[in-house]
Amino acid sequence: MRVAMIGTGYVGLVSGACFSEFGVDVTCVDKDQVKIDMLEDGRMPIYEPGLEELVIKNVASGHLSFTTDLKEGVHGADAIFIAVGTPSRRGDGHADLSYVYEAAREIAEALRDYTVVVTKSTVPVGTGREVERIIAETRPNLEFDVVSNPEFLREGSAIEDFMRPDRIVIGTKSDRAQEIMRQLYRPLYLIETPIVFTSRQTSELIKYAANTFLATKITFINEIADLCELVEADVQDVARGIGLDGRIGRKFLHAGPGYGGSCFPKDTLALARTAQEAGRPLRIVDTVVKVNADRKTQMAEKIIAACGDDISSKTIAILGVTFKPNTDDMRESPSIDIIAGLQRAGAKVRAYDPEGMQEAQTLLDNVQWCDDAYQAMAGAHAVTIVTEWNQFRALDLQRMKEVMRSPIIVDLRNIYNPSEIAEAGFRYYSVGRAATGCAD
Ligand code: UDX
């Protein structure tokens, strides 16, 4: 089988590399010549564990290739995946579909025989219909089907998520298109991955409903965490206690500084807008969006309070700036608002992140970027863990005390044991658990 992947962002590149690993011939197309040159050289435009090896291996075996020429890339493809970006449109929160529609037009011009055109980008309900209309308008006599096939991969574990998904969702009523999609996903079908066949609109909505549900679950536990702090309860025990109920489930109940990333903030907002336009606002989703946005500022206030309410002449060390570990992605990362909040209150910020600093430097001003965690903590009045990179999970507490000006830790990811940290002589503040070491 042969597929073309339009767009070499997270979704397109990972999906393309993974399909080629299944033995499918994949051509990834992107307009960005620099990106294509890098990929042909075996260098990745994003940091994603395992991706580079997969790309190099499949380029060498001849199953994976890259081009900027869409016409050449889609030639002979059984299926063409549209995996271009759908960022939030400035001002109104709607997903910006201009790249999707432009790709549809270009694909239509290049097609020769029956082809399945698949939307893999997260697109609002009704986008498939519009893509179909554009292709039919451009090429009135062409045989084709437009299928929705959303991707559920997480950054940092994208390859594993693609290779071992919980389910595959395929939105089309065409038997011919269903058969091609079934063949493409045959290796996953063999490992008994459930495949949900449904209508295009339903498939489009499934993606938004899934991401919004997860964002709601996180926001729920974050609010419970705030309550825990006030009533002397422990949010991690609450999460375990409710998560063991099979109807609730244990995943995505980790309290923290609020969700970020390229998907949850954008998709919650886009779903809220879709619902408003349909005349049926989703009040829960509207609230989730607001609570999560407020939470980031609230986290800066938490740090300021931990430092005794005045940080105007203090230095705060920040460990981790990406929205989650194992990525260099800074999109909607809580660190952005937290650092801005600390700086507004007059603090000097020193920071370290294993992968995100290059990207972060373009977004954050006046931060002293450091070579490692201890350098970031040198002379700091407090340290805040914003992203739970593994290398921050076993910091040398003795060394921290030696380099820091005062022993205060604000752990926004709950990666340490409160009593152990207090015993080591720190004041320790986390999320949804009692502060420790603060007896004086
Ligand atoms: C998410 C979805 O999980 C994925 O299915 C979809 O395709 C894209 O969006 P991703 O954004 O890569 O994936 O990261 P994810 O691991 O879901 O985390 C998103 C945000 O939620 C991060 O900021 C993370 O720190 C936060 N989070 C996650 C929590 O605060 N608590 C949790 O329990 C889980």
Side-chain angles (χ1 to χ4, degrees):
M1 297 205 75
R2 175 178 286 279
V3 308
M5 195 63 68
I6 315 298
T8 57
Y10 253 103
V11 171
L13 188 54
V14 170
S15 308
C18 289
F19 274 131
S20 71
E21 179 72 8
F22 291 168
V24 174
D25 289 321
V26 180
T27 307
C28 291
V29 182
D30 203 294
K31 290 198 155 139
D32 186 340
Q33 182 75 55
V34 179
K35 231 175 175 185
I36 293 296
D37 289 347
M38 275 179 84
L39 286 162
E40 282 182 329
D41 260 12
R43 287 178 295 130
M44 299 302 107
I46 47 168
Y47 172 77
E48 181 62 36
L51 184 62
E52 189 173 313
E53 293 83 335
L54 207 64
V55 168
I56 291 173
K57 178 180 159 206
N58 286 290
V59 167
S61 71
H63 284 305
L64 182 61
S65 60
F66 299 96
T67 180
T68 51
D69 184 341
L70 187 136
K71 209 168 175 180
E72 172 200 311
V74 304
H75 180 63
D78 299 286
I80 301 171
F81 287 80
I82 301 180
V84 298
T86 54
S88 282
R89 213 160 55 188
R90 250 169 217 271
D92 65 4
H94 271 295
D96 179 352
L97 297 172
S98 51
Y99 302 110
V100 173
Y101 295 149
E102 193 185 320
R105 238 167 263 122
E106 288 181 34
I107 290 167
E109 280 160 15
L111 288 185
R112 296 186 190 174
D113 311 309
Y114 173 80
T115 313
V116 177
V117 178
V118 188
T119 52
K120 197 133 197 71
S121 309
T122 301
V123 290
V125 184
T127 306
R129 188 184 298 142
E130 182 61 11
V131 168
E132 186 172 82
R133 197 194 60 73
I134 291 171
I135 299 176
E137 184 184 84
T138 317
R139 296 283 303 282
N141 299 318
L142 188 77
E143 277 195 284
F144 68 96
D145 278 305
V146 176
V147 173
S148 160
N149 171 221
E151 187 47 64
F152 298 96
L153 56 81
R154 285 164 301 171
E155 294 183 17
S157 53
I159 291 167
E160 177 66 17
D161 286 351
F162 191 96
M163 296 288 190
R164 262 172 280 281
D166 288 340
R167 79 310 207 175
I168 295 162
V169 176
I170 294 174
T172 178
K173 290 294 175 201
S174 151
D175 291 341
R176 198 171 175 187
Q178 267 193 24
E179 193 42 43
I180 288 182
M181 296 304 286
R182 214 189 287 271
Q183 277 181 41
L184 264 179
Y185 281 109
R186 213 177 109 77
L188 296 182
Y189 178 73
L190 294 178
I191 58 165
E192 297 183 358
T193 308
I195 303 188
V196 179
F197 284 106
T198 182
S199 72
R200 218 165 40 199
Q201 284 95 309
T202 309
S203 168
E204 289 167 343
L205 188 57
I206 285 171
K207 173 67 201 227
Y208 281 98
N211 272 356
T212 303
F213 189 86
L214 293 170
T216 304
K217 204 172 173 189
I218 296 167
T219 306
F220 175 82
I221 202 69
N222 282 342
E223 287 214 300
I224 294 290
D226 292 348
L227 181 61
C228 283
E229 288 179 25
L230 297 172
V231 300
E232 292 173 33
D234 182 313
V235 74
Q236 272 171 283
D237 288 346
V238 173
R240 192 170 138 75
I242 63 172
L244 283 167
D245 184 328
R247 292 169 301 176
I248 296 173
R250 293 178 66 178
K251 294 181 183 166
F252 280 68
L253 281 180
H254 202 89
Y259 60 78
S262 64
C263 292
F264 287 172
K266 165 173 80 72
D267 295 350
T268 44
L269 214 55
L271 182 63
R273 292 287 178 272
T274 300
Q276 276 158 15
E277 278 188 0
R280 173 66 62 175
L282 298 175
R283 288 164 295 172
I284 291 179
V285 182
D286 290 339
T287 306
V288 165
V289 168
K290 182 158 177 20
V291 171
N292 194 65
D294 291 351
R295 185 162 191 83
K296 298 176 182 175
T297 330
Q298 190 190 324
M299 290 298 114
E301 286 160 10
K302 183 182 176 83
I303 299 164
I304 295 168
C307 295
D309 288 329
D310 180 9
I311 56 165
S312 54
S313 56
K314 290 186 174 159
T315 300
I316 310 292
I318 299 285
L319 300 188
V321 291
T322 52
F323 82 98
K324 64 185 245 182
N326 297 325
T327 177
D328 58 355
D329 201 336
M330 283 294 296
R331 281 177 283 180
E332 304 286 335
S333 176
S335 68
I336 300 171
D337 290 323
I338 293 173
I339 290 174
L342 297 176
Q343 289 175 330
R344 263 197 311 275
K348 280 205 195 80
V349 173
R350 298 167 66 79
Y352 168 71
D353 186 283
E355 295 292 339
M357 291 195 292
Q358 200 180 342
E359 184 62 26
Q361 281 171 32
T362 65
L363 300 166
L364 293 161
D365 291 328
N366 301 321
V367 173
Q368 180 77 49
W369 297 101
C370 301
D371 293 337
D372 65 31
Y374 299 98
Q375 199 187 86
M377 290 186 278
H381 293 85
V383 58
T384 299
I385 300 166
V386 180
T387 317
E388 68 279 31
W389 286 92
N390 274 342
Q391 60 177 270
F392 303 149
R393 289 177 186 272
L395 291 167
D396 179 341
L397 299 175
Q398 200 47 47
R399 191 166 161 204
M400 281 168 71
K401 268 171 79 180
E402 282 160 21
V403 300
M404 289 176 68
R405 207 166 300 187
S406 47
I408 299 175
I409 301 177
V410 183
D411 174 5
L412 299 181
R413 298 288 183 173
N414 291 351
I415 58 177
Y416 283 97
N417 178 316
S419 49
E420 280 174 19
I421 299 293
E423 268 164 38
F426 286 86
R427 287 168 176 248
Y428 178 73
Y429 303 84
S430 55
V431 179
R433 305 184 297 180
T436 53
C438 309
D440 48 327

